[in-house]
Amino acid sequence: MSVERSIAIFSPGLLGGSLVKTIQQRMPGVGVRVWARRSEAVDEVLRVLPGVLASTDVATVIQGVSLAVLCMPIQFMGEISQQIAACELSEDLIVTDVGSVKNSVVDELEALFMPTKAAFLGSHPMAGSQHTGLVHSRGDLFHQAACILTPTSHTKPEHLARLRSFWSKLGCRIQEMTPPQHDHCVARISHLPHSMAVLTTLAALRQDTRVLDSSAGGFRDTTRVASGDPGMWAGILMQNRIEVIAALQDASTVLTELLEMLQTMDEEALRRFLAQAKALRDLLPAV
């Protein structure tokens, strides 16, 4: 199995910066390069992440690397991938990503890189925060996080093995799914919870923010992810809208059940409803 000799990180935000820090900790001797869209971001990278090559020039960053990781919002991955594909690429280059949607991304990028020397294989480390930006990056962000790989019929076994090895070295637990399976799964365990946090925040506060003076941990925990970047999340929800709509329709059905129990004062049904939710939530492994 090929050992990565140098890795290019495209976009140094929370995930990109955390990748650099983790690679430097867990893969000593592997060169790291960082691409940023703006020169000010390059300057920040050089201050925060010593020992990396950083540039706004795609060709400089991609030259000679064996692995490239796209860490920008998914709606911008196609544009930067076209620039990468136009460069001189290493024979063994794998391009992957950290995006939260896979079906549309894999379809586009796998086809884009197929005529080149490089290959695309999707990744999704289930790690992150409501915070954004390089300033919040951490070297332990991926520790024990699930990382979903999404191979297709075009994926070479050796490429899959290399990506499994890469994410494992960063501390991740590896899973494999098809791109459609991935999008169905994350719609339920990531995109729906984010949507519900947004709905809860708006329903609770849009008419009167003064209630926040009495809020406690429950409200903070339930709505934490609603503080995520609106632009990034708009892209995620739109790209995975079919699966998100299905999940929200199921949520609407359950909400209607709850409303009916309260309107009819059916306490026994309400107890069963709450008990079922508790039993299902208790299936979640302890951290």
Side-chain angles (χ1 to χ4, degrees), residues 135-273:
V135 67
H136 295 291
S137 61
R138 309 193 327 251
D140 62 350
L141 187 67
F142 304 99
H143 180 65
Q144 288 299 301
C147 182
I148 303 172
L149 305 184
T150 57
T152 72
S153 59
H154 300 291
T155 302
K156 294 182 179 180
E158 57 268 31
H159 291 164
L160 181 58
R162 278 175 54 192
L163 266 193
R164 287 183 66 92
S165 175
F166 169 70
W167 289 111
S168 295
K169 287 177 181 176
L170 300 191
C172 293
R173 299 176 288 107
I174 311 301
Q175 301 176 4
E176 291 179 24
M177 300 180 190
T178 67
Q181 288 171 337
H182 168 277
D183 286 0
H184 173 77
C185 175
V186 298
R188 301 285 162 159
I189 53 109
S190 176
H191 304 166
L192 176 62
H194 187 92
S195 300
M196 299 307 291
V198 170
L199 293 174
T200 299
T201 301
L202 292 174
L205 302 179
R206 191 149 59 178
Q207 293 184 5
D208 184 3
T209 59
R210 289 175 299 177
V211 298
L212 278 175
D213 293 339
S214 305
S215 66
F219 183 81
R220 185 180 300 275
D221 293 344
T222 302
T223 60
R224 176 182 60 83
V225 295
S227 292
D229 178 66
M232 181 187 76
W233 273 99
I236 290 171
L237 296 177
M238 289 299 291
Q239 288 283 341
N240 201 25
R241 61 190 176 277
I242 293 175
E243 289 289 353
V244 172
I245 288 170
L248 284 170
Q249 287 172 334
D250 287 345
S252 178
T253 298
V254 176
L255 178 58
T256 298
E257 292 177 18
L258 177 57
L259 283 169
E260 289 176 351
M261 292 173 206
L262 295 173
Q263 288 165 348
T264 61
M265 299 182 65
D266 190 343
E267 185 172 351
E268 185 56 38
L270 179 59
R271 288 179 183 274
R272 291 195 300 269
F273 183 83

Side-chain angles (χ1 to χ4, degrees), residues 29-205:
V30 174
V32 183
R33 302 180 181 188
V34 176
W35 173 87
R37 191 177 299 274
R38 299 173 296 105
S39 57
E40 295 86 356
V42 169
D43 293 339
E44 183 184 14
V45 168
L46 295 175
R47 288 196 307 271
V48 176
L49 303 171
V52 305
L53 181 154
S55 175
T56 59
D57 182 61
V58 171
T60 298
V61 173
I62 201 66
Q63 183 178 21
V65 304
S66 60
L67 178 64
V69 188
L70 308 179
C71 300
M72 66 282 296
I74 54 176
Q75 58 265 41
F76 302 122
M77 288 183 181
E79 173 195 348
I80 197 66
S81 293
Q82 289 177 356
Q83 295 182 48
I84 293 172
C87 298
E88 181 60 35
L89 306 177
S90 301
E91 295 280 352
D92 60 346
L93 174 62
I94 299 174
V95 180
T96 191
D97 72 313
V98 297
S100 184
V101 179
K102 283 290 169 280
N103 210 21
S104 57
V105 171
V106 172
D107 280 351
E108 178 185 5
L109 300 192
E110 190 173 58
L112 178 64
F113 284 106
M114 206 167 286
T116 74
K117 296 177 182 178
F120 180 81
L121 173 53
S123 303
H124 182 196
M126 302 293 289
S129 166
Q130 74 272 26
H131 302 297
T132 59
L134 180 58
V135 67
H136 295 291
S137 61
R138 309 193 327 251
D140 62 350
L141 187 67
F142 304 99
H143 180 65
Q144 288 299 301
C147 182
I148 303 172
L149 305 184
T150 57
T152 72
S153 59
H154 300 291
T155 302
K156 294 182 179 180
E158 57 268 31
H159 291 164
L160 181 58
R162 278 175 54 192
L163 266 193
R164 287 183 66 92
S165 175
F166 169 70
W167 289 111
S168 295
K169 287 177 181 176
L170 300 191
C172 293
R173 299 176 288 107
I174 311 301
Q175 301 176 4
E176 291 179 24
M177 300 180 190
T178 67
Q181 288 171 337
H182 168 277
D183 286 0
H184 173 77
C185 175
V186 298
R188 301 285 162 159
I189 53 109
S190 176
H191 304 166
L192 176 62
H194 187 92
S195 300
M196 299 307 291
V198 170
L199 293 174
T200 299
T201 301
L202 292 174
L205 302 179

